[in-house]
Amino acid sequence: LVSMGEGREEMPPEASGGVRWRSATARWGWQDSRLFMDGWLSVPNKFLRCYTALNPPLSSGEALFVLQLMTFKWDDAAPFPSYGRIAKTMGVTDKMARRYAQSLQKKGYLVRQFQKRAPNKFDLTRLFDALAEVRLETTSEGKGEEVVACGSTSITATECPF
């Protein structure tokens, strides 16, 4: 998806059932586009549903740190926000933001590229490679309802329309 401004996103026709764009403001029921004036973030559903199924799993704080990094990723280059900026938007201290980065690096999901006199670059390629390998399993639970399992997390197919 590509932001087209004012809460609009461009989608390939095959991924959207022939619809070329969808309004984020219309989708969320907001008639006022001010909600999206600061931008918006397109996140793979698989990340949100399966980050705890990774081995090792992400904590909710680490997942929020990743989401904050994603808000600075505008192209194929690694994002490079300062720890202070991430900490402020997360409502944590700089030290806690650094701990999240250290933990993600120790787990093998984040590569911090140190720069002189500039913020680190944060490469999340390994995280999303690992996430792509998480298998979603669909089973029936006897009630005729499909369940999609992601590691130890399971939700009904109506909750998770993959």
Side-chain angles (χ1 to χ4, degrees):
L1 300 176
V2 177
S3 172
M4 301 301 289
E6 295 197 16
R8 286 179 35 144
E9 53 198 38
E10 184 75 24
M11 304 176 76
E14 64 277 4
S16 63
V19 177
R20 288 296 298 163
W21 64 272
R22 295 182 181 174
S23 165
T25 53
R27 186 178 322 156
W28 288 100
W30 299 99
Q31 302 303 315
D32 189 341
S33 63
R34 288 181 294 177
L35 178 64
F36 299 96
M37 286 178 67
D38 289 340
W40 50 274
L41 179 63
S42 180
V43 179
N45 286 339
K46 193 169 185 182
F47 173 76
L48 296 173
R49 293 181 177 136
C50 299
Y51 68 87
T52 60
L54 291 166
N55 188 16
L58 267 60
S59 70
S60 56
E62 291 166 340
L64 182 56
F65 181 86
V66 169
L67 291 171
Q68 291 296 333
L69 286 178
M70 290 172 71
T71 67
F72 293 93
K73 183 142 178 72
W74 304 299
D75 54 26
D76 61 349
F80 52 94
S82 69
Y83 285 111
R85 186 146 186 204
I86 294 170
K88 185 175 181 179
T89 58
M90 288 182 70
V92 299
T93 64
D94 288 17
K95 188 173 185 178
M96 192 69 225
R98 288 178 193 277
R99 285 184 186 153
Y100 287 134
Q102 289 167 350
S103 179
L104 289 165
Q105 185 169 0
K106 185 176 181 181
K107 291 178 180 183
Y109 299 134
L110 175 68
V111 174
R112 291 184 291 170
Q113 301 166 351
F114 297 98
Q115 304 184 100
K116 287 186 178 183
R117 299 182 190 160
N120 292 334
K121 288 185 178 181
F122 298 93
D123 184 348
L124 294 165
T125 303
R126 292 179 183 176
L127 170 63
F128 287 99
D129 286 347
L131 193 62
E133 297 299 318
V134 173
R135 263 191 61 234
L136 298 174
E137 298 174 13
T138 304
T139 61
S140 179
E141 286 199 336
K143 297 180 185 175
E145 190 171 55
E146 285 186 305
V147 174
V148 177
C150 207
S152 61
T153 306
S154 62
I155 54 181
T156 66
T158 54
E159 296 170 314
C160 177
F162 288 104

